[in-house]
């Protein structure tokens, strides 16, 4: 039995959906200049790092993260926050490399690599890059 939605597509809704489809196709057909694409990619990556680290409690703002990634020496920046950002950038680069190679990904190996890069100098060496031994609790 096929799904029967409890609504009808009005002429107005149909017109709007058609407009959306046409605008989507127009956007997809645009060529992005390499210089602009590079800026867009850097901006998106910077924001991804910021928001991903912020939900983990990292106190650095976007401008501070950008400065850290540019290798600028900054005073008053928590070194753990700085290391988290640098580690996350290494993770992003490693994932880019995996995708660029276009080879099948060995997932378990990739997960251990990501864990190693993410936690380097943040947790003790014996806990890096392998499964945990024993129970884990969230408190």
């Amino acid at each position: 039995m096929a799904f029967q939605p409890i609504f009808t597509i009005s002429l107005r809704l149909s017109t709007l959906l058609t407009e959306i489809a046409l605008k989507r196709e127009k956007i997809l057909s645009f060529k992005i200049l390499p210089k602009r694409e590079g800026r867009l990619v850097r901006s998106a990556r910077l924001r991804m790092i910021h928001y991903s680290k912020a939900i983990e409690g990292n106190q650095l703002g976007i401008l501070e993260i950008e400065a850290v990634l540019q290798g600028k020496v900054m005073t008053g920046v928590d070194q753990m926050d700085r290391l988290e950002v640098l580690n996350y950038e290494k993770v992003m680069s490693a994932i880019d490399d995996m995708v660029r190679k276009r080879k099948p990904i060995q997932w378990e190996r990739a997960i251990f690599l990501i864990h190693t890069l993410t936690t380097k100098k943040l947790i003790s060496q014996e806990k890096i890059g392998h499964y945990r031994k024993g129970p884990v609790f969230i408190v």
Side-chain angles (χ1 to χ4, degrees), residues 40-53:
L40 289 171
V41 168
R42 281 190 298 281
S43 175
R45 192 169 186 138
L46 183 62
R47 282 167 173 66
M48 184 173 15
I49 292 170
H50 170 67
Y51 293 115
S52 294
K53 296 289 81 198

Side-chain angles (χ1 to χ4, degrees), residues 66-92:
E66 188 172 33
V68 166
L69 294 177
Q70 291 172 352
K72 294 181 180 174
V73 177
M74 299 166 44
T75 57
V77 171
D78 182 81
Q79 288 308 302
M80 295 296 273
D81 286 351
R82 186 179 162 284
L83 271 173
E84 284 180 356
V85 166
L86 292 171
N87 288 357
Y88 198 88
E89 173 59 25
K90 288 177 186 165
V91 168
M92 299 305 298

Side-chain angles (χ1 to χ4, degrees), residues 113-125:
L113 173 64
I114 290 168
H115 185 260
T116 298
L117 294 173
T118 302
T119 58
K120 188 175 183 175
K121 297 182 183 176
L122 294 173
I123 63 174
S124 62
Q125 190 65 34

Side-chain angles (χ1 to χ4, degrees), residues 84-107:
E84 284 180 356
V85 166
L86 292 171
N87 288 357
Y88 198 88
E89 173 59 25
K90 288 177 186 165
V91 168
M92 299 305 298
S93 294
I95 292 170
D96 287 346
D97 289 344
M98 286 181 222
V99 171
R100 206 175 358 265
K101 288 178 183 173
R102 296 181 181 253
K103 293 181 181 176
I105 295 173
Q106 297 175 357
W107 290 105

Side-chain angles (χ1 to χ4, degrees), residues 119-137:
T119 58
K120 188 175 183 175
K121 297 182 183 176
L122 294 173
I123 63 174
S124 62
Q125 190 65 34
E126 64 270 1
K127 294 180 180 178
I128 293 177
H130 55 79
Y131 291 111
R132 290 178 179 157
K133 295 176 179 141
V136 177
F137 300 97

Side-chain angles (χ1 to χ4, degrees), residues 17-66:
L17 290 171
T18 301
E19 285 179 28
I20 290 169
L22 290 171
K23 288 179 181 181
R24 179 182 182 276
E25 289 305 313
K26 188 173 182 178
I27 290 168
L28 291 174
S29 71
F30 286 147
K31 300 286 185 223
I32 298 176
L33 297 173
K35 185 177 179 181
R36 180 162 289 180
E37 182 180 10
R39 280 193 304 238
L40 289 171
V41 168
R42 281 190 298 281
S43 175
R45 192 169 186 138
L46 183 62
R47 282 167 173 66
M48 184 173 15
I49 292 170
H50 170 67
Y51 293 115
S52 294
K53 296 289 81 198
I55 62 173
E56 297 292 331
N58 191 300
Q59 298 295 309
L60 298 182
I62 290 177
L63 294 177
E64 293 167 312
I65 290 172
E66 188 172 33

